[in-house]
């Protein structure tokens, strides 16, 4: 059984991080260049970590499977980044951001980690402004803010509808400066396929070069994973097609515990599915809910009518009706389930009745079209490109879709997994968002982990490692891991099946969406746990992977990733079945109040479920880290 020591510092909540930094072990500056840190991923968390660790003096190798870090999926977070600067003088504070995040996660996150995130949020904005990120500004020159779901203050900084892109360019520029200075060794088009553990500690990775097919061994004194989430297990999601779970899944199979895999977020403002030909979905930023009003017809008979022909009296602005305190800015999980509810009642719009309207008519009347264009123009352009509809003239149609994951590898307060030397940042870890992430907090966590947390905490581990003790990449553990990677590729290539990889991925996605999506129940999860192993067996019997291993082979890449999703999907359902409560994005139909809201069970489930791999064909072990709420009392999560 794994040891889950959260290493949360003692003392008052507001003092924990400051005292921890003051008492943490340090590495002599002259010794830092003797240590080599491997960073996998070059999105916001990875690029921030790699550049900052290099600036501190460590030798850094950074790996990314893209041809350039600028393609990292952080670019897709459009709406904004939270920070408790209280520029609007509307009552915001570090504590309020902390509280909103704890409440938004339905009291299923670790208090100390969340408070630290709120603390360092104020520094992130200054860092990004110094890098030249073009945040929106008020007329007088001060940085502008807007609101996001789950908050009653304006704390979200933004750059129109391209905040993630602009932040990534800032982090990318910092990274490439260190690459140009010879401080970071960059490895693009390189995918991590295994973690190397030596004497119980993470000491390297095995990679495959995606163009040449070369299998390479890389040794390090510590490994940092910043590889994003596993939302693409659903097949149709808002994630880029290349997003995958392979790095964290292979680490799980080397001993790292996987925490809360069932916590997968469904985003309420996605362009609805239009056909079987689709391989991904497109998100309309949550920022649109600041000025757009969400509604459906009150009468099912009106659903086929043109929206402008339906009078106000016959429209149901259901979020404003159900949640008057927050209205259209209700948190994502709640807004998503509300959309599903009205569509299940037969009041959905568009093809198949799986859509609701996001209407800007009132905003255009109030602000004028030019102001709406200034705030959201590129998002309207994206919508027009995909649907051929003008959202300035007719409401957008949206519906929930798989988006973000709150589960991930378990980490302690230092962001180190239960495998010593393996650190996990951003969406790849479980630590900050509980059972539901509030909008505009993903960018905040990625940059906080990379710029302001890992530069301190990794030293606490490296100080325990003798300089120069890094193992050789020629060691037995590295050879065994490389042989394992080669054998898996050969097994896939030598399979003489008839079905393409996407055939199995689509079927897995439908199972997960049906039984482990917006709503789950015992019977459905048990059915999924019968169907997924059958599908996995069929995959290994019938998948066809063409080409060879020693060249560019996207079929081989996808096959390895889908093989991992087929295993991870089963763990997601197993975790959802074991958690007999409803909380945040995890909605078990058996556990709800009469009004349809989540019914938590704090007596039995106020904990993190951290699953431990037990070997091929063996059920995983469910470890538990209790969540102790010293500073916030869990209560019924209400946005009414």
């Amino acid at each position: 059984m794994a040891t889950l020591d959260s290493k949360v510092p003692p003392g008052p909540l507001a003092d924990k991080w400051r005292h921890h930094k003051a008492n943490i072990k340090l590495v002599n500056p002259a010794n830092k260049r003797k240590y080599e840190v491997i960073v996998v991923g070059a999105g916001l968390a990875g690029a921030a970590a790699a550049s900052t660790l290099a600036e501190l003096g460590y030798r850094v190798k950074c790996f990314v499977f893209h041809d350039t870090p600028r393609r990292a999926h952080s670019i897709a977070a459009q709406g904004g980044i939270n920070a408790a600067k209280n520029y609007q003088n509307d009552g915001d504070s570090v504590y309020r951001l902390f509280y909103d995040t704890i409440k938004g996660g339905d009291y299923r996150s670790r208090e100390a980690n969340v408070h630290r995130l709120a603390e360092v949020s104020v520094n992130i904005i200054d860092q990004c402004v110094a890098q030249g990120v073009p945040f929106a500004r008020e007329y007088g020159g001060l940085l502008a803010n807007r609101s996001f779901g789950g908050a009653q203050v304006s704390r979200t900084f933004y750059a129109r509808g391209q905040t993630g892109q602009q932040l990534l360019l800032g982090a990318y520029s910092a990274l490439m400066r260190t690459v140009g200075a010879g401080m970071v060794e960059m490895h693009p088009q390189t995918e991590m396929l295994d973690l190397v553990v030596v004497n119980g500690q993470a000491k390297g990775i095995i990679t495959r070069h995606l163009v040449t097919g070369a299998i390479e061994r890389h040794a390090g004194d510590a490994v940092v994973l910043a590889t994003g989430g596993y939302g693409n297990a659903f097949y149709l999601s808002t994630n880029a097609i290349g997003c995958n779970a392979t790095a964290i899944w292979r680490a799980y199979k080397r001993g790292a515990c996987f925490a809360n895999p069932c916590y997968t977020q469904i985003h309420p403002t996605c362009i609805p599915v239009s056909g079987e030909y689709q391989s991904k979905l497109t998100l309309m930023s949550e920022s649109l809910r600041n000025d757009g009003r969400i509604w459906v017809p009150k009468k099912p008979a009106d659903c086929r009518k043109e929206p402008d022909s339906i009078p106000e009296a016959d429209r149901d602005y259901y979020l404003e009706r159900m949640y008057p305190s927050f209205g259209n800015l209700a948190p994502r999980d709640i807004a998503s389930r509300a959309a599903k509810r009205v569509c299940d009642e037969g009041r959905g719009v568009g093809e198949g009745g799986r859509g609701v309207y996001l209407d800007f008519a009132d905003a255009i009347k109030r602000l004028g079209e030019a102001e709406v264009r200034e705030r959201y123009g590129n998002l309207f352009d994206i919508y027009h490109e995909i649907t051929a509809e003008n959202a300035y003239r007719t409401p957008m149609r949206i519906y929930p879709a798989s988006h973000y994951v709150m589960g991930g590898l378990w980490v302690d307060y230092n962001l180190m997994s239960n495998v010593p030397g393996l650190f996990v940042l951003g969406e790849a870890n479980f630590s900050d968002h509980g059972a539901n992430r509030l909008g505009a907090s993903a960018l905040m966590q990625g940059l906080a982990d990379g710029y302001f947390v890992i530069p301190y905490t990794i030293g606490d581990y490296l100080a325990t490692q003798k300089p120069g003790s890094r193992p050789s990449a020629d060691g037995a553990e590295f050879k065994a891991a490389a042989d394992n990677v080669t054998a898996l590729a050969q097994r896939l290539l030598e399979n003489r099946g008839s079905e393409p990889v996407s055939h199995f991925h689509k079927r897995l996605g439908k199972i997960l969406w049906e039984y482990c999506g917006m709503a789950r129940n015992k019977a459905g999860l048990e059915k999924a746990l019968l169907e997924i192993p059958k599908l996995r067996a069929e995959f290994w019997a019938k998948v066809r992977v063409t080409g060879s291993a020693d060249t560019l082979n996207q079929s081989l890449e996808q096959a390895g990733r889908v093989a991992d999703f087929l295993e991870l999907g089963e763990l997601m359902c197993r975790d959802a079945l074991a958690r007999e409560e409803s909380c945040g994005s995890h909605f078990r139909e058996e556990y709800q109040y009469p009004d349809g809201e989540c019914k938590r069970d704090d007596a039995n489930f106020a904990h993190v479920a951290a699953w431990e791999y037990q070997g091929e064909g063996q059920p995983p072990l469910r470890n538990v880290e209790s969540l102790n709420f010293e500073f916030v009392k869990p209560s019924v999560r209400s946005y009414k």
Side-chain angles (χ1 to χ4, degrees):
M1 179 175 288
T3 300
L4 301 181
D5 180 3
S6 65
K7 296 187 173 67
V8 172
L13 184 65
D15 295 336
K16 288 182 185 293
W17 179 231
R18 180 168 56 85
H19 286 168
H20 190 59
K21 289 189 294 182
N23 293 290
I24 212 163
K25 296 187 187 76
L26 300 175
V27 176
N28 184 305
N31 280 339
K32 285 179 180 173
R33 57 180 169 268
K34 299 176 183 177
Y35 293 102
E36 191 159 284
V37 180
I38 291 172
V39 177
V40 185
L44 287 184
S51 59
T52 309
L53 293 173
E55 292 280 5
L56 287 173
Y58 297 108
R59 294 165 55 195
V60 178
K61 286 184 178 179
C62 185
F63 298 82
V64 61
F65 66 78
H66 300 293
D67 56 349
T68 168
R70 287 175 295 173
R71 292 190 184 275
H73 192 61
S74 302
I75 199 172
Q78 304 157 327
I81 177 171
N82 287 331
K85 279 192 169 283
N86 194 32
Y87 280 179
Q88 303 298 312
N89 291 316
D90 57 358
D92 201 10
S93 64
V94 166
Y95 184 84
R96 192 176 294 276
L97 174 53
F98 156 74
Y99 177 78
D100 286 346
T101 306
I102 287 282
K103 178 183 175 183
D106 216 351
Y107 306 95
R108 289 294 177 262
S109 45
R110 197 187 284 148
E111 281 186 328
N113 287 66
V114 176
H115 195 276
R116 176 176 63 190
L117 177 65
E119 285 179 65
V120 303
S121 71
V122 298
N123 299 324
I124 294 170
I125 303 305
D126 297 338
Q127 168 89 3
C128 294
V129 168
Q131 290 176 335
V133 173
F135 287 120
R137 293 180 181 268
E138 306 286 4
Y139 179 76
L142 297 176
L143 297 183
N145 292 112
R146 57 189 176 202
S147 298
F148 255 62
Q152 291 182 308
V153 297
S154 293
R155 63 162 67 101
T156 304
F157 295 78
Y158 62 97
R160 295 188 71 188
Q162 17 179 297
T163 313
Q165 179 180 2
Q166 298 302 327
L167 291 171
L168 184 62
L169 289 173
Y172 170 75
S173 66
L175 173 62
M176 295 313 291
R177 193 196 77 77
T178 55
V179 171
M183 303 154 73
V184 173
E185 186 179 298
M186 195 74 210
H187 293 262
Q189 297 179 315
T190 305
E191 183 173 24
M192 171 187 160
L193 294 180
D194 210 345
L195 177 73
V196 181
V197 178
V198 180
N199 296 326
Q201 301 185 78
K203 291 297 180 183
I205 61 173
I206 306 298
T207 64
R208 179 176 181 269
H209 193 278
L210 298 183
V211 176
T212 68
I215 303 297
E216 298 175 343
R217 313 173 195 177
H218 297 274
D221 294 285
V223 177
V224 177
L225 300 185
T227 52
Y230 50 92
N232 270 354
F234 287 92
Y235 185 71
L236 285 181
S237 82
T238 65
N239 290 261
I241 294 173
C243 293
N244 64 86
T246 288
I248 57 173
W249 189 251
R250 305 287 171 90
Y252 162 74
K253 296 178 82 170
R254 292 292 182 184
C257 286
F258 207 117
N260 300 333
C262 76
Y263 288 166
T264 54
Q265 182 173 77
I266 310 300
H267 198 294
T269 56
C270 179
I271 297 178
V273 176
S274 58
E276 283 290 319
Y277 60 86
Q278 284 183 275
S279 56
K280 78 174 298 294
L281 298 173
T282 303
L283 177 70
M284 288 288 99
S285 169
E286 183 172 308
S287 62
L288 294 171
R289 293 200 277 150
N290 271 280
D291 291 305
R293 299 179 71 193
I294 296 172
W295 64 277
V296 291
K298 288 182 178 178
K299 298 177 286 188
D302 288 345
C303 291
R304 291 290 180 180
K305 293 181 179 179
E306 291 298 317
D308 58 1
S309 71
I310 302 173
E312 280 289 313
D314 292 333
R315 299 181 179 188
D316 180 12
Y317 294 91
Y318 59 89
L319 288 178
E320 298 172 32
R321 170 174 57 82
M322 296 176 180
Y323 307 102
S325 293
F326 284 74
N328 296 299
L329 285 172
R332 292 175 176 179
D333 58 322
I334 288 173
S336 292
R337 283 195 296 274
K340 181 179 185 297
R341 196 180 312 166
V342 296
C343 290
D344 288 347
E345 292 169 0
R347 297 191 288 134
V349 300
E351 288 297 319
R354 289 287 151 185
V356 300
Y357 288 127
L358 178 58
D359 196 333
F360 287 86
D362 283 358
I364 290 171
K365 276 185 199 171
R366 185 178 77 254
L367 302 169
E369 186 175 316
E371 178 64 22
V372 173
R373 285 184 184 275
E374 177 65 26
R375 294 182 182 185
Y376 312 110
N378 64 304
L379 300 174
F380 279 65
D381 293 342
I382 291 169
Y383 186 81
H384 179 265
E385 285 295 316
I386 292 172
T387 66
E389 295 176 7
N390 182 348
Y392 296 104
R393 301 287 174 264
T394 188
M396 291 181 179
R397 283 174 295 107
I398 57 171
Y399 192 70
S402 170
H403 176 57
Y404 187 90
V405 294
M406 287 70 63
L409 293 187
W410 182 91
V411 292
D412 63 17
Y413 190 70
N414 289 331
L415 303 184
M416 188 166 74
S417 75
N418 60 292
V419 176
L422 177 65
F423 295 82
V424 192
L425 315 186
E427 191 179 1
N429 77 33
F430 88 101
S431 66
D432 290 4
H433 304 298
N436 175 64
R437 177 177 69 81
L438 294 182
S441 290
L443 301 179
M444 175 174 64
Q445 185 204 353
L447 290 176
D449 288 355
Y451 280 136
F452 298 106
V453 179
I454 195 66
Y456 285 98
T457 62
I458 200 170
D460 193 56
Y461 168 75
L462 291 175
T464 69
Q465 307 296 300
K466 185 179 178 181
S469 65
R470 182 171 60 255
S472 168
D474 295 326
E477 293 88 351
F478 283 85
K479 183 180 185 305
D483 289 346
N484 180 60
V485 166
T486 301
L488 177 61
Q490 285 305 117
R491 182 184 176 191
L492 289 166
L493 289 165
E494 291 170 2
N495 208 52
R496 291 293 176 257
S498 58
E499 298 290 349
V501 176
S502 60
H503 170 80
F504 299 97
H505 196 180
K506 285 182 182 179
R507 288 170 61 190
L508 173 66
K510 287 180 178 178
I511 293 170
L512 290 176
W513 182 255
E514 181 69 22
Y515 302 120
C516 199
M518 270 192 283
R520 300 101 184 256
N521 59 55
K522 185 175 187 288
L525 290 166
E526 287 176 342
K527 185 174 181 180
L529 288 169
L530 292 174
E531 290 189 8
I532 293 174
K534 290 178 184 175
L535 180 62
R536 190 165 63 246
E538 188 181 338
F539 170 86
W540 285 108
K542 295 184 178 180
V543 73
R544 181 168 182 81
V545 181
T546 57
S548 67
D550 56 359
T551 185
L552 176 66
N553 189 339
Q554 292 184 317
S555 179
L556 178 61
E557 294 169 32
Q558 292 164 3
R561 296 166 186 174
V562 172
D564 293 335
F565 280 142
L566 284 163
E567 295 177 354
L568 173 55
E570 183 175 345
L571 187 66
M572 291 163 62
C573 294
R574 190 183 292 271
D575 186 46
L577 182 62
R579 187 168 284 277
E580 296 178 336
E581 64 165 351
S582 288
C583 58
S585 65
H586 171 63
F587 185 72
R588 282 283 297 268
E589 292 174 341
E590 306 96 319
Y591 308 103
Q592 57 179 299
Y593 289 104
D595 61 357
E597 299 297 338
C598 287
K599 189 174 185 180
R600 287 196 329 268
D601 181 354
D602 293 333
N604 295 303
F605 290 98
H607 61 241
V608 177
W611 295 86
E612 183 181 357
Y613 184 65
Q614 296 294 291
E616 192 73 32
Q618 300 298 313
L621 181 64
R622 188 179 190 266
N623 299 294
V624 166
E625 178 204 341
S626 295
L627 293 170
N628 301 310
F629 293 95
E630 299 178 64
F631 304 96
V632 172
K633 182 180 179 182
S635 58
V636 175
R637 180 175 172 240
S638 175
Y639 292 92
K640 295 182 177 181

